[in-house]
Amino acid sequence: MTTMVHLFGGDATTSERSKELLGGKGSNLAEMASIGLPVPPGFTITTDVCAAYYANGEQFPAGLIEEVAAGIAHIEGITGKTFGDAADPLLVSVRSGARVSMPGMMDTVLNLGLNDRTVVGLSDASGDPRFAWDSYRRFVQMYADVVMGLDHAEFEEALEIAKEDRGFYLDTEMSAEDWQALVKEYQAIVERETGAPFPQEPNDQLWGAVGAVFASWESDRAKVYRRLNSIPAEWGTAVNIQAMVFGNMGDTSATGVAFTRDPATGERAWYGEWLINAQGEDVVAGIRTPQYLTKVAREKAGAKPLSMEEAMPETFEELGRVFDTLETHYRDMQDIEFTVERGTLWMLQTRSGKRTAKAALKIAVDMAAEGLITEEEAVGRVDPGALDQLLHPTLDPDAPRDVLTKGLPASPGAASGKIMFTADGAEKAAEMGEAVILVRVETSPEDIHGMHAAKGILTARGGMTSHAAVVARGMGRPCVSGAGGLSIDGNARVLRVGGRELREGDILTLDGSTGEVMAGEVKTLLPELVGDFGTLMVWADKVRRMKVRANAETPQDAQVARDFGAEGIGLCRTEHMFFDAARITAVREMILAENEAGRRAALAKLLPEQRGDFAAIFGVMAGLPVTIRLLDPPLHEFLPTREEDFADVAAAAGVGIEALKARANELHEFNPMLGHRGCRLGVTYPEIYEMQARAIFEAACDVAAETGAAPIPEVMIPLVATRREFDLMKAVVDAQAKAVFDEKGREIAYLVGTMIELPRAALMAGEIAETAEFFSFGTNDLTQTTIGISRDDAGRFLTQYVDKGIFLTDPFVSLDVEGVGQLIEIAADRGRKARPDVKLGICGEHGGDAPSIHFCEKTGLDYVSASPYRVPIARLAAAQAALKKGK
Ligand code: PEP
Ligand code: MG
């Protein structure tokens, strides 16, 4: 390890390494200082130290004490104050800062260095005893909470009682003496709870806080956030130690948070909240209602308290200049924290601001238009996964709605679901497949799992930068915050609003774009790719190499996919086509038939239906490739399982109940996913695949004759393990093609290929490609067969596997590049050696997952296929992957 401590304004740069080492917050503070912005002096303990701390059995590495002491001396030199000095003490903040911002996850201690002696010095030096004692009580409470792990409710209760005893309502009514008395009480609580007096030695306080920052990296809520965001545990956090500046030194002091553009809409307008005479945490904690930054915003909201623009015009102008400097320097929208101490502006933080998908698109497109970034950079600026929030239905403006109240439009999108009042309740209900709206007075980091499980989040308190708002925007969950008209009784599990009562389980609809809260479910509309979204997609398509197809099995799905820009169908599953009431009987007749002739008779009934299915899809996908997979699931899936259904089914299929039960019994398998399914059905009952192939070619010829646009069928054989299996099935398909083309007097170009879903198929790909014209990686099955974890049962234990770091992410969501990825690479290589133009695609769920798409680009696949609503995500991710590979 080199130096463990880096001074702000020193040698830090914008490099990735600097972010890795100093964390996001630390490297940005260092950088702001180096471009001449007003940053209180300070230093960062690197993330390497955190890693070493854990590697050392939670011991600080040798030499750290000396380096930190030198850092403190550096701050003392600039401020002219001394740490622990009884006359004019230096106070510091201690804050965590990981490589990527983890909102609300890590802990902060302010005013560190105060003790029974230095508080008097602070009082004298500031000439404001009330401020000094207020700062001290805040410090004791924060330190007790964050460092000592005591319950903050006890301290809040003591404050409430202190106010009640004095007949006060607001904190501002408390005098210096009142705060001083409360500090004594707080210290007594600490002593009672820990058995030791509150630490008086500033250095002890400092090391306690540093240890607490490191410990919070391994807190449960940080672990959950890391799991949800795929952040490796090894990264660790940095610790930032910085001279305190005070926003609570009277009416010329203030504190605030701001975005250089509107994080909800992306509009180019300064956006933020501030409070006069307050300390940083007051703005985000939702205790006092923050005020507007600009006059326009205040007037628009019809709010009374003056905006910063009106109350502190000069400082506001300076802040505006800082915004411009930051945007030009970082070339991105910034999220900042600032403090004004007696008229002097200080920057406490800047980072790339979290934004809604809508804002991300607008900011990227606008910044390209402003010449701040290039079109390609704009393409790289939008997180493909975040587009999900725009690709879901919004409320139909014409649908009737029963509006209960209105809150702040904290995170856009609409959602309906059952009311749940606790995060655990929301998680449980979601696991049962319920759509849930999490309803809380306000949220805290402890609620994060419930927020993730919910379709939407509603809070009674908190502003646009409250925890709920920030986290919901990051997750893409619709959120209405600060709905003051609600009264929530979490214990009784009721919500009261405008004289009405709703209980847990009642349906609620939220519109995060307007802030409306409605009773019952409201009709929704499908999204469209217009405006900035459309523009960015055009730019993305310019740089994209891989094609993007859709997994679709109905004409409706196919149309949605086309509207979202799909360039064909990568997987048309055929099994669901057989569940239609009119068809399932014929399917069952086929399954129950005693011989081939019986099966053929039943299949003949299915042929026209199946031909109609394909014709409709070919019509939508005119001129584009359509990959149709022949029947895949084990046949027992088509038979009834419930006792009460047997009689009806038997009657419909023309057999006795006993015969039906006997057949169901015969078809029972211990491991159906490894059983009689996929091409194994085609091998034993070739007439099934014959019928399907005939339906495909008849439909293709008919559509070509009608429209003049010949479809491009790609017939896909599932679950192949050996070349011989494939060859047998290909012969069936080719024979039908020839027969149909002869009958129709027309030829259609088509391909026959296979899914690669089994490790053996991947390894034998060279041989299989001698006859197979394309491979489509069925990574759902390939993941299950490679890892040997059932895709249907994995949910029960996979979260633990991710928590324990066995998998970085769920391998059924994001491709296991190391393991399953190797098989894909081997198959692609061997396949291409045998057949240089073998077409390669992916049709497992991973085809819509951005990191997996990067892998596909790296491996040189020709296309990815995703579910229709994920097609735009796949287009953008494929473009970003191409840009990355190009670099
Ligand atoms: C797959 O296995 O990846 C696949 C696409 O097929 P299915 O999900 O239908 O098994
Ligand atoms: Mg499969």
Side-chain angles (χ1 to χ4, degrees):
M1 200 179 305
T2 53
T3 48
M4 291 178 271
V5 159
H6 281 253
L7 306 178
F8 299 167
D11 51 358
T13 66
T14 51
S15 72
E16 273 308 304
R17 179 69 191 138
S18 140
K19 271 218 162 62
E20 281 172 21
L21 210 54
L22 304 183
K25 192 175 287 170
S27 78
N28 282 331
L29 282 168
E31 204 172 327
M32 280 200 290
S34 71
I35 58 172
L37 294 179
V39 174
F43 61 91
T44 303
I45 303 176
T46 68
T47 54
D48 282 354
V49 177
C50 183
Y53 173 82
Y54 279 106
N56 273 351
E58 306 187 17
Q59 299 289 322
F60 295 121
L64 182 64
I65 294 190
E66 291 74 14
E67 290 203 26
V68 167
I72 293 284
H74 164 78
I75 304 178
E76 289 173 338
I78 295 179
T79 57
K81 299 179 185 183
T82 306
F83 198 46
D85 181 21
D88 186 11
L90 167 69
L91 303 184
V92 296
S93 64
V94 179
R95 311 167 110 192
S96 66
R99 270 193 227 182
V100 293
S101 91
M102 292 170 60
M105 286 295 112
M106 311 297 284
D107 300 306
T108 297
V109 181
L110 302 177
N111 306 339
L112 190 140
L114 279 173
N115 59 24
D116 295 349
R117 283 180 319 125
T118 56
V119 67
V120 180
L122 180 67
S123 169
D124 293 345
S126 66
D128 188 347
R130 188 186 176 283
F131 152 75
W133 285 99
D134 180 19
S135 301
Y136 193 17
R137 68 94 196 177
R138 285 171 189 259
F139 169 56
V140 175
Q141 176 173 355
M142 224 183 253
Y143 196 89
D145 175 15
V146 172
V147 178
M148 300 172 150
L150 303 187
D151 184 359
H152 55 90
E154 249 193 283
F155 295 87
E156 271 149 33
E157 209 176 286
L159 171 58
E160 283 312 308
I161 292 171
K163 284 197 286 189
E164 244 173 68
D165 287 352
R166 294 166 172 83
F168 295 162
Y169 179 65
L170 296 172
D171 289 6
T172 44
E173 295 171 84
M174 297 277 281
S175 68
E177 291 71 29
D178 295 331
W179 287 130
Q180 187 171 359
L182 192 67
V183 166
K184 287 256 157 349
E185 279 187 52
Y186 278 6
Q187 290 179 333
I189 296 175
V190 169
E191 189 149 1
R192 190 174 71 232
E193 294 292 323
T194 66
F198 186 81
Q200 289 291 315
E201 180 51 50
N203 263 313
D204 293 347
Q205 296 172 354
L206 182 65
W207 287 103
V210 172
V213 170
F214 285 167
S216 69
W217 178 252
E218 287 298 330
S219 68
D220 287 343
R221 58 194 199 189
K223 283 190 204 161
V224 169
Y225 189 86
R226 286 208 294 273
R227 172 160 60 76
L228 295 177
N229 293 281
S230 311
I231 297 169
E234 310 82 72
W235 281 8
T237 180
V239 187
N240 300 297
I241 296 169
Q242 187 175 23
M244 283 297 303
V245 288
F246 293 97
N248 55 340
M249 284 185 126
D251 287 349
T252 54
S253 300
T255 185
V257 295
F259 293 86
T260 54
R261 304 191 185 209
D262 187 323
T265 63
E267 250 167 86
R268 195 174 183 189
W270 297 335
Y271 177 88
E273 294 173 332
W274 79 307
L275 277 172
I276 287 191
N277 196 12
Q279 223 171 13
E281 302 304 299
D282 299 344
V283 179
V284 283
I287 298 163
R288 277 166 66 188
T289 301
Q291 296 152 29
Y292 291 89
L293 207 62
T294 61
K295 185 164 176 248
V296 183
R298 178 184 72 78
E299 285 173 348
K300 201 167 142 201
K304 291 243 156 51
L306 287 188
S307 67
M308 184 176 178
E309 186 174 4
E310 296 156 299
M312 296 185 174
E314 278 162 34
T315 320
F316 178 78
E317 228 172 80
E318 194 188 343
L319 186 63
R321 286 195 295 275
V322 170
F323 285 169
D324 289 343
T325 308
L326 285 172
E327 273 216 351
T328 321
H329 181 75
Y330 285 99
R331 302 159 69 242
D332 195 6
M333 185 265 264
Q334 295 295 296
D335 165 2
I336 64 161
E337 285 177 20
F338 65 90
T339 280
V340 182
E341 182 183 283
R342 293 188 167 156
T344 305
L345 176 69
W346 292 102
M347 300 302 299
L348 298 186
Q349 175 170 322
T350 191
R351 61 186 176 193
S352 179
K354 287 210 185 283
R355 60 205 82 180
T356 63
K358 187 174 160 204
L361 286 167
K362 179 158 178 55
I363 291 169
V365 171
D366 282 356
M367 283 192 167
E370 289 159 25
L372 220 48
I373 58 176
T374 64
E375 282 182 11
E376 287 190 358
E377 279 174 310
V379 167
R381 284 289 171 87
V382 179
D383 170 14
L387 294 180
D388 207 21
Q389 21 174 316
L390 298 180
L391 295 168
H392 286 288
T394 50
L395 292 183
D396 178 351
D398 298 328
R401 40 182 95 178
D402 173 8
V403 177
L404 296 169
T405 187
K406 208 169 164 190
L408 298 172
S411 177
S416 299
K418 291 191 172 169
I419 297 174
M420 283 290 152
F421 291 106
T422 64
D424 288 344
E427 191 178 55
K428 282 211 188 78
E431 274 168 13
M432 311 282 289
E434 302 277 10
V436 172
I437 304 290
L438 178 63
V439 180
R440 307 279 294 155
V441 175
E442 58 199 341
T443 65
S444 74
E446 278 90 350
D447 294 321
I448 197 149
H449 59 293
M451 298 174 75
H452 195 257
K455 296 274 183 238
I457 297 145
L458 171 63
T459 69
R461 256 195 250 155
M464 292 291 281
T465 47
S466 65
H467 178 267
V470 171
V471 174
R473 279 200 292 273
M475 285 181 177
R477 294 290 181 285
C479 175
V480 175
S481 69
L486 298 180
S487 131
I488 295 168
D489 185 340
N491 291 330
R493 313 250 155 137
V494 286
L495 175 132
R496 295 190 187 87
V497 53
R500 293 169 65 177
E501 263 190 21
L502 284 92
R503 306 198 157 264
E504 191 163 87
D506 288 349
I507 304 277
L508 205 62
T509 296
L510 304 180
D511 187 341
S513 312
T514 62
E516 277 180 326
V517 180
M518 290 142 281
E521 198 167 332
V522 179
K523 186 168 172 256
T524 50
L525 291 180
L526 299 182
E528 283 178 297
L529 295 192
V530 291
D532 298 319
F533 202 160
T535 306
L536 197 86
M537 282 292 138
V538 171
W539 295 350
D541 286 350
K542 279 194 214 163
V543 294
R544 176 160 62 87
R545 180 193 64 83
M546 285 190 294
K547 297 273 185 204
V548 174
R549 300 193 193 179
N551 291 0
E553 56 192 64
T554 65
Q556 294 79 14
D557 283 356
Q559 191 58 55
V560 171
R562 275 302 282 143
D563 293 343
F564 281 153
E567 299 160 294
I569 288 182
L571 174 62
C572 173
R573 295 181 171 98
T574 53
E575 49 270 20
H576 298 135
M577 296 171 174
F578 292 158
F579 279 100
D580 184 277
R583 306 175 186 189
I584 186 74
T585 302
V587 174
R588 287 169 177 160
E589 281 170 22
M590 173 196 73
I591 295 171
L592 296 166
E594 310 240 306
N595 51 35
E596 189 185 324
R599 282 193 295 275
R600 284 191 181 278
L603 285 164
K605 296 185 195 168
L606 288 170
L607 175 66
E609 305 282 349
Q610 184 90 106
R611 187 171 56 224
D613 294 332
F614 298 141
I617 289 170
F618 288 146
V620 176
M621 287 286 159
L624 296 172
V626 175
T627 306
I628 296 167
R629 176 177 75 189
L630 303 185
L631 197 65
D632 183 48
L635 294 182
H636 75 81
E637 288 191 7
F638 297 101
L639 293 184
T641 50
R642 298 186 321 170
E643 190 60 35
E644 59 264 41
D645 295 333
F646 275 99
D648 291 348
V649 168
V655 296
I657 294 193
E658 290 317 311
L660 174 62
K661 283 191 175 166
R663 183 71 177 132
N665 236 347
E666 239 172 73
L667 290 175
H668 171 80
E669 292 177 314
F670 287 102
N671 288 310
M673 285 303 106
L674 298 178
H676 196 181
R677 59 168 286 217
C679 66
R680 298 161 200 172
L681 291 173
V683 168
T684 46
Y685 306 118
E687 54 278 10
I688 300 179
Y689 281 14
E690 246 173 47
M691 180 280 286
Q692 291 195 292
R694 172 164 280 274
I696 292 170
F697 296 119
E698 288 183 354
C701 289
D702 293 351
V703 169
E706 270 168 38
T707 65
I712 312 171
E714 298 183 349
V715 184
M716 182 152 78
I717 314 296
L719 215 75
V720 161
T722 76
R723 151 120 184 232
R724 177 80 183 140
E725 279 173 318
F726 178 75
D727 287 351
L728 286 173
M729 296 302 99
K730 182 169 189 304
V732 169
V733 174
D734 286 339
Q736 289 303 313
K738 180 162 186 327
V740 173
F741 296 159
D742 287 349
E743 289 160 28
K744 302 264 181 190
R746 171 190 292 276
E747 284 214 6
I748 303 278
Y750 70 97
L751 302 177
V752 188
T754 180
M755 295 188 79
I756 303 284
E757 297 172 285
L758 297 171
R760 189 182 196 283
L763 296 173
M764 300 305 291
E767 208 178 283
I768 295 171
E770 284 168 15
T771 43
E773 293 163 306
F774 66 88
F775 290 164
S776 179
F777 292 97
T779 45
N780 303 332
D781 271 310
L782 189 58
T783 299
Q784 119 169 313
T785 54
T786 301
I787 305 178
I789 289 181
S790 153
R791 59 198 265 195
D792 305 299
D793 300 317
R796 305 202 185 143
F797 57 89
L798 256 185
T799 39
Q800 285 213 34
Y801 261 56
V802 174
D803 282 346
K804 296 195 167 137
I806 298 170
F807 294 124
L808 201 53
T809 52
D810 179 341
F812 291 100
V813 173
S814 203
L815 195 72
D816 160 34
V817 167
E818 282 181 336
V820 178
Q822 263 191 68
L823 284 170
I824 295 177
E825 279 166 353
I826 288 171
D829 266 8
R830 294 183 185 174
R832 274 190 291 241
K833 279 211 182 79
R835 180 187 292 270
D837 66 344
V838 64
K839 209 186 234 190
L840 301 174
I842 181 172
C843 66
E845 285 305 297
H846 306 90
D849 167 68
S852 311
I853 292 171
H854 277 257
F855 169 81
C856 295
E857 172 68 36
K858 218 175 99 223
T859 315
L861 299 195
D862 298 300
Y863 68 87
V864 299
S865 190
S867 65
Y869 283 99
R870 295 192 77 81
V871 163
I873 295 174
R875 282 164 71 192
L876 181 57
Q880 291 179 352
L883 286 172
K884 192 166 165 202
K885 199 173 178 205
K887 276 188 199 138

